[in-house]
Amino acid sequence: MVGTPHGAVRGRYERGIAVFRGIPYAAPPFGALRFRPPRPPEPWDGVRDAGAFGPTAPKPAYSEAFAQYLSDPVIPGDDCLNLNVWTPEPGPGARLPVLLWLHGGALTRGSSAVPVYDGSTFARDGVVCVSVNYRLGVEGYGLFPDAPPNPGLRDQLAALRWVHASIEAFGGDPDRITLCGQSAGAISAGVLLAAPQARGLVRRAVLQSGAPEAVERDKVRRMVRRMAGRLKIPATAEAFAAVDRAVLLRTQAEVGRLSSPVLGGPAFGMVVDGDLVPRDPLKALTEGSAAGDVDLLMGWTRDEYRLWLVPGGLVDHVDRLGAVALAGAMARCHAGHDVPRGYRALHPDAGTAEIVGQMVTDHLLRVPLYRLADARPGTSHLYEFAWPSLLPGLGACHALELGFVFDSGDVPESRKLAGEGAPQELADAMHSAWVRFATSGAPGWAAWDATHPVRVFGEGEPYTAHGPRDAEIDLWPAARAVPEPVPASGARAPGAELAAAVRRLRRSVAVRHR
């Protein structure tokens, strides 16, 4: 039994690890609290049972094309602002390092109950692991005239504050919290690092396949307006709160099919709000005005784009579209013609899908992470995950590294993406690097400097390469500056013909993902 600020909880011992699941860190975000910032939970009397995962946030199911690779459990209930703790030594005095995990899922899917995120392996190795649920989709990231922005991000901040205030009772050290996330979770972690309200709460951070960003407000508004149009209601929080939750999720999924990581489109994301996100988070972090004392571990997978394009056969489809797909990628990345020409020269045997995929991956991930590392040499460490899945076509795709980081390759949900027979020695290497980083800030290879060391986790022994992506990164005019949402110097702005081509490609992506 462990005491929390709102009442005592009783967990379970599982293979020598104390596990506490479904602890509320905030009140259920429904009724009068819907679309509002999180509030503290009601205190409870007696001892609350913490043996099972709590409810997950409302979310649509993955399409059939993605569900064959990704698991996303649904646990019904309104009390979805909850977290889980795995610890080897519950009770004050141990002061172990803490890893706080924010799941991915494009801010529309995912939860802390995904079996791949089993924190027992971190606890086994002396790190208290905490995983968090937060509001998703329109509930967490809709933009309305009658409600505050970014409620899902505010949930994450509330969870971080809970951990900082409460984790010592579970054996953790509140001064050694590593904020860790993948994909949307990494973007969230980066935005929180730049938030003034989070200052002093985080000692280290891990950004896996996601870079700090704030999206254009109009991009989020378009999602809300399209949903409102289908529902025939005003685009207000009050009107959305009156819609049946299942109908709202179905409408969100239908509208979301028009968006794609490769070609963009309207989407949910965090926006500059003048409060929690007072300015562009990447600028805040690279210009030294935020989280200057936080150690960083950042990286990507070699073939991120393959999870975006392989399901439903989109790789072949993009290859067939050729110039249209390249035009769409240029518009997505605000890139001039020199950028795809440069990729063609560097990778003459690559198909259109690979060129498009790597361009978008660099634009979204590698360029901003390079800039962040350049701004923080000596305290940043970079990696690339390069082991290819044993399933056809996936390569070293987005999210594949998760089963290795958590050393959870033995669960069926990891094998859905990795296939049968993933190398345990690779999991040992990655997991131990994350443990070392959470413990000391030193994962086991050189910190970023002018030689650009990148640890490569692939087939065989991990090794350090120097500048393995420099040639591609140098193709981007803004590689050493924060990009603006306008075409690169010398490029023509996308005209009506290009915009129409992008729309056709987006519709094709939507149809194939149904």
Side-chain angles (χ1 to χ4, degrees), residues 65-118:
F66 283 100
Q68 64 180 310
Y69 300 115
L70 302 173
S71 297
D72 198 9
V74 173
I75 302 172
D78 287 351
D79 205 359
C80 61
L81 300 186
N82 58 70
L83 52 76
N84 319 295
V85 181
W86 288 262
T87 176
E89 297 183 44
R95 298 194 64 91
L96 298 169
V98 180
L99 187 144
L100 174 55
W101 175 253
L102 301 178
H103 67 80
L107 299 178
T108 58
R109 295 173 174 88
S111 79
S112 66
V114 175
V116 179
Y117 310 149
D118 184 349

Side-chain angles (χ1 to χ4, degrees), residues 398-457:
H398 190 69
L400 180 59
E401 89 282 13
L402 290 169
F404 296 86
V405 168
F406 278 87
D407 190 13
S408 57
D410 57 340
V411 303
E413 290 78 8
S414 287
R415 295 196 293 272
K416 286 178 69 172
L417 202 55
E420 299 287 344
Q424 179 60 46
E425 56 272 19
L426 180 56
D428 294 341
M430 285 201 82
H431 176 74
S432 62
W434 267 239
V435 169
R436 287 193 297 268
F437 181 77
T439 302
S440 67
W445 63 93
W448 191 255
D449 60 17
T451 68
H452 294 179
V454 176
R455 193 68 163 175
V456 179
F457 295 92

Side-chain angles (χ1 to χ4, degrees), residues 122-337:
F122 279 102
R124 174 198 69 196
D125 295 325
V127 177
V128 177
C129 185
V130 183
S131 61
V132 176
N133 284 336
Y134 54 92
R135 276 175 283 183
L136 302 170
V138 73
E139 301 276 359
Y141 299 93
L143 193 55
F144 300 101
D146 55 339
N150 300 320
L153 185 67
R154 295 174 193 275
D155 294 343
Q156 295 168 354
L157 176 62
L160 175 58
R161 285 172 167 164
W162 186 99
V163 171
H164 195 268
S166 309
I167 204 62
E168 190 170 0
F170 293 85
D173 184 348
D175 295 325
R176 285 199 292 168
I177 296 174
T178 297
L179 184 61
C180 184
Q182 185 266 346
S183 193
I187 297 170
S188 302
V191 175
L192 284 173
L193 288 182
Q197 292 93 325
R199 193 162 296 155
L201 300 180
V202 177
R203 179 65 188 87
R204 301 182 179 95
V206 183
L207 309 184
Q208 298 177 209
S209 300
E213 69 170 4
V215 304
E216 298 173 10
R217 295 173 75 91
D218 187 58
K219 191 174 184 179
V220 181
R221 284 198 187 102
R222 277 184 283 151
M223 279 289 286
V224 173
R225 288 170 183 157
R226 289 181 181 186
M227 289 182 66
R230 284 177 179 252
L231 294 166
K232 297 180 171 55
I233 60 172
T236 64
E238 181 182 15
F240 271 62
V243 176
D244 177 80
R245 205 177 299 172
V247 173
L248 202 60
L249 290 177
R250 186 165 61 248
T251 304
Q252 177 183 303
E254 291 169 354
V255 171
R257 289 195 184 101
L258 298 177
S259 299
S260 150
V262 174
L263 292 174
F268 292 113
M270 289 149 278
V271 299
V272 172
D273 58 16
D275 173 27
L276 183 56
V277 190
R279 59 181 300 212
D280 180 273
L282 185 58
K283 281 187 177 181
L285 291 168
T286 55
E287 293 175 2
S289 63
D293 58 345
V294 174
D295 300 324
L296 296 176
L297 172 59
M298 306 177 289
W300 51 79
T301 72
R302 185 190 63 199
D303 308 313
E304 299 271 4
Y305 71 95
R306 287 193 165 270
L307 186 64
W308 307 331
L309 294 182
V310 167
L314 287 172
V315 166
D316 294 337
H317 188 57
V318 170
D319 277 336
R320 286 196 300 271
L321 286 168
V324 172
L326 272 178
M330 289 165 57
R332 172 78 169 99
C333 301
H334 313 293
H337 292 282

